[in-house]
Amino acid sequence: MLTALLGEKVFSTIHYTREELKNLRRKRTIFLCPHCSSELNLRIGNQNVPHFAHQSQFLCELGKQHESPRHLLTKQLLYERLREHFTEVKVEYYVKEIQQIADVYVKTDTKKIAIEIQCSSIPIPDILSRTRGYQSKNFTPFWMLTQPVTEKQKGLLQLPSFQQAFIRYSPHLHHFLLHFSPEDRSFTIFTHLIPVSVSAFISAAPVRIPIEQFTLPLSIPHPTVNHPYLLKNWNQFRMKWIYNKLHYNKAKDDLFLREVYREGDTFLYLPLFVGMPVFPHGIHFMNHAVEWQYYLWKDCMKKDTFFSEEKVVEVLKRRMDRGFLEFRTLPFVCGDQLLKELVKSYLSLLKDMQVVRRMDGGQYQLSRPWNCPDNFSGFEKHQHDFFPKWKHILKKV
Ligand SMILES: [Zn+2]
């Protein structure tokens, strides 16, 4: 904690130098917790941001929230930066009616912004309920992820579901993740995220914003994104996913594999239009693109001569209800027609690639029936016919 009560007044360590604080401590000044009124210790080390700590942390709600040195440092850095722009900035701002404490509070010309800094994982429902709490009192919550993000290799992020919950969407950045590193004193934005498995995402070259350039509302420079670079490896990831599934999953325990085998399809030789990246909403399925597009293909395209967009939506909905498919929890990405939009984008991709034809009246039909190759050279021929079209389309995305 950076704030305490000194008599009747709110006292914040960030307004004082280490020396001034040490003086106060020498004089045995008494600081009380604004929440539980118990006496606090003033800690002034050489490394960490000076802060208050409960003598017995378990008796107080505030004391229980363990704050790492990174959390304290982030609060201080944000406070100092925002103070240069706004007159009303506070740390640990208590909103009494909803009993929530914003890490940093800022009043801009138009908004009351409550900044929440997340250095550690909390349950996603807590994020949602705190968000609703702020909104009910006309605060705009601004969630900031400061927990370290793992970049497995250049342009490939490994994001646990907690970090995925911080993904946002904007038309020019597509799906993106905003991250703050107090050590580097800078924000990093990973843009154009495309999932390649449940938790791995490819991203465009990250955009960095030093804290000296940070203000609210956050303005993000337009990144120059080289799409073909992003998508160059898509098929490689698709094949890797297929091989992993073959190696590590047993058909008897795997809903998807069981279905593929029962249908008599050769998993390795599925048509390449099953498992394509779909922009921008494909990210919503937690299942790999091969999975949901396979179900769609099996339940609709293979079976029916004609199928409509509505039918495809219905088929996927049914698969979701039965537990075959699942959406990710992305609380900061809004949209009430996501599944419909997703189906529309996929069908239009298939149409552009001449996999399907769109008939008058809006029905679709497979351009030619799919004959599963019975050996690798048959599949190579399919690749040879398919890739030139695919590359052309993806370049336009
Ligand atoms: Zn307390």
Side-chain angles (χ1 to χ4, degrees), residues 1 32-40 54 56-57 59-64:
M1 299 160 69
L32 300 178
C33 170
H35 196 73
C36 69
S37 306
S38 68
E39 200 176 325
L40 299 172
H54 281 75
S56 168
Q57 61 180 29
L59 297 173
C60 170
E61 278 308 306
L62 251 176
K64 268 188 231 164

Side-chain angles (χ1 to χ4, degrees), residues 97-123:
E97 304 97 306
I98 49 170
Q99 302 198 345
Q100 286 178 212
I101 301 156
D103 286 312
V104 180
Y105 162 77
V106 197
K107 192 167 182 296
T108 69
D109 295 341
T110 52
K111 282 184 178 136
K112 297 189 290 177
I113 299 175
I115 301 181
E116 284 270 355
I117 297 162
Q118 262 346 113
C119 284
S120 55
S121 302
I122 58 167

